[in-house]
Amino acid sequence: MTKVYLVRHAEIELIPDDYSRPLSQKGKEDVKKVTEFFKNKNITRVLSSPYIRALHTVEGIAKDKGLDIEVVDDFRERKVANSYIEDFETFSELQWKDFDYSLEGGESLNQVQKRGIKALFDVVDKYKNESIVVGTHGTILGVILNYFDKKYDFNFWKTIKMPDIFLLEFEDRRLKYIKNIAVENEKSH
C-alpha cells in the first residue's frame, strides 16, 4: 500500500508574486500543527511544489524525519493568467464549470489535472509501498481529487482549508480511498 498525503499549504500573505508568497503569521503557527501531526507517522519521502508557501508548509516534516525535500514542479499551483484577476471566485467557478476554460497565459483545469495526475502516478510508481508527503496547493489538490471522484467540485474546492491534508492510499495504481484529515483531531470527512 502506498500512502500519499497531499498537504495544502498554510495561510499566506497575499503579495503579487505567486511563486514567492510567504506564509502569514497564522500560517507559520499552523505549520507547527502539521509537523506535529506527522511526528509519529512513518514518512519516507517529502516532496513539494517549488512555490515558497508549499515548501515552508512541509519543511518541518522533512527536518523532523531527516529527509530532503524533493521539488516536483508539476505539483505547483495553476497559472491563472498573465495579469491580475479582480473577481477570482467568479473566474474559479467558470473554470470548475468548464475544465477547458482559461485566460490568456493561464492554464485550464484540464491542463492542471493532467500534469497533477501524471506527477501523482509518477510518485506512486517510483515510491511504491512508501508513505509520502506532498506539499501542494488548493486548486491542483482539488482537481487531482476530482479525477478520482466528481464530488470534488467547485463547492468542495471552496471548503479546502489552509492548511489541509488529504490521504490517498493506493494499491499499485488503484486508489483504495481518500481521507480528509483535520490536523488537530484527525476527523474523517
Side-chain angles (χ1 to χ4, degrees), residues 6 17-18 25 47 79 83 91 94 105 140 155 189:
L6 296 176
D17 181 28
D18 196 30
Q25 193 55 48
L47 287 66
K79 176 146 193 250
S83 58
F91 160 74
L94 288 170
I140 190 163
N155 289 323
H189 293 163

Side-chain angles (χ1 to χ4, degrees), residues 64-124:
D64 185 60
K65 304 293 181 188
L67 300 170
D68 291 327
I69 298 175
E70 179 182 334
V71 174
V72 179
D73 191 54
D74 282 343
F75 284 124
R76 71 188 181 280
E77 187 56 289
R78 72 175 161 195
K79 176 146 193 250
V80 174
N82 285 335
S83 58
Y84 181 76
I85 306 294
E86 284 293 328
D87 188 353
F88 188 72
E89 188 163 336
T90 298
F91 160 74
S92 295
E93 186 172 12
L94 288 170
Q95 279 209 302
W96 280 92
K97 285 181 179 175
D98 177 2
F99 267 42
D100 289 319
Y101 177 76
S102 65
L103 297 175
E104 187 177 330
E107 291 178 286
S108 71
L109 293 188
N110 268 332
Q111 291 171 308
V112 176
Q113 186 179 64
K114 184 177 179 180
R115 74 170 156 79
I117 290 298
K118 180 185 180 314
L120 178 65
F121 281 130
D122 286 351
V123 166
V124 169

Side-chain angles (χ1 to χ4, degrees), residues 44-48 55 58-59 61-63 65-71 133:
T44 56
R45 307 277 172 185
V46 178
L47 287 66
S48 181
L55 284 162
V58 299
E59 71 184 349
I61 301 162
K63 284 180 186 168
K65 304 293 181 188
L67 300 170
D68 291 327
I69 298 175
E70 179 182 334
V71 174
V133 168

Side-chain angles (χ1 to χ4, degrees), residues 5-185:
Y5 293 90
L6 296 176
V7 179
R8 187 201 186 173
H9 63 78
E11 185 181 275
I12 58 169
E13 287 184 26
L14 208 48
I15 65 167
D17 181 28
D18 196 30
Y19 175 80
S20 61
R21 276 186 194 139
L23 297 178
S24 68
Q25 193 55 48
K26 180 185 183 313
K28 290 174 186 173
E29 292 302 313
D30 286 342
V31 164
K32 295 174 187 171
K33 296 174 189 171
V34 171
T35 302
E36 185 62 31
F37 169 78
F38 286 102
K39 187 120 353 239
N40 296 318
K41 304 266 185 284
N42 184 27
I43 301 303
T44 56
R45 307 277 172 185
V46 178
L47 287 66
S48 181
S49 153
Y51 288 34
I52 300 303
R53 60 193 181 270
L55 284 162
H56 286 178
T57 300
V58 299
E59 71 184 349
I61 301 162
K63 284 180 186 168
D64 185 60
K65 304 293 181 188
L67 300 170
D68 291 327
I69 298 175
E70 179 182 334
V71 174
V72 179
D73 191 54
D74 282 343
F75 284 124
R76 71 188 181 280
E77 187 56 289
R78 72 175 161 195
K79 176 146 193 250
V80 174
N82 285 335
S83 58
Y84 181 76
I85 306 294
E86 284 293 328
D87 188 353
F88 188 72
E89 188 163 336
T90 298
F91 160 74
S92 295
E93 186 172 12
L94 288 170
Q95 279 209 302
W96 280 92
K97 285 181 179 175
D98 177 2
F99 267 42
D100 289 319
Y101 177 76
S102 65
L103 297 175
E104 187 177 330
E107 291 178 286
S108 71
L109 293 188
N110 268 332
Q111 291 171 308
V112 176
Q113 186 179 64
K114 184 177 179 180
R115 74 170 156 79
I117 290 298
K118 180 185 180 314
L120 178 65
F121 281 130
D122 286 351
V123 166
V124 169
D125 292 343
K126 186 175 180 181
Y127 302 124
K128 187 175 180 164
N129 297 320
E130 293 192 44
S131 293
I132 303 120
V133 168
V134 178
T136 194
H137 307 269
T139 300
I140 190 163
L141 189 155
V143 297
I144 287 172
L145 298 182
N146 174 271
Y147 174 86
F148 297 107
D149 189 335
K150 299 303 178 211
K151 76 178 183 182
Y152 298 104
D153 59 8
F154 175 69
N155 289 323
F156 161 77
W157 172 80
K158 292 191 303 182
T159 69
I160 303 172
K161 298 173 207 66
M162 283 191 259
D164 217 337
I165 302 171
F166 289 83
L167 169 61
L168 287 68
E169 284 203 9
F170 293 88
E171 195 170 287
D172 294 315
R173 281 181 153 229
R174 289 184 313 280
L175 179 71
K176 302 308 275 181
Y177 70 86
I178 297 170
K179 179 181 179 184
N180 182 212
I181 301 166
V183 175
E184 293 171 351
N185 56 11

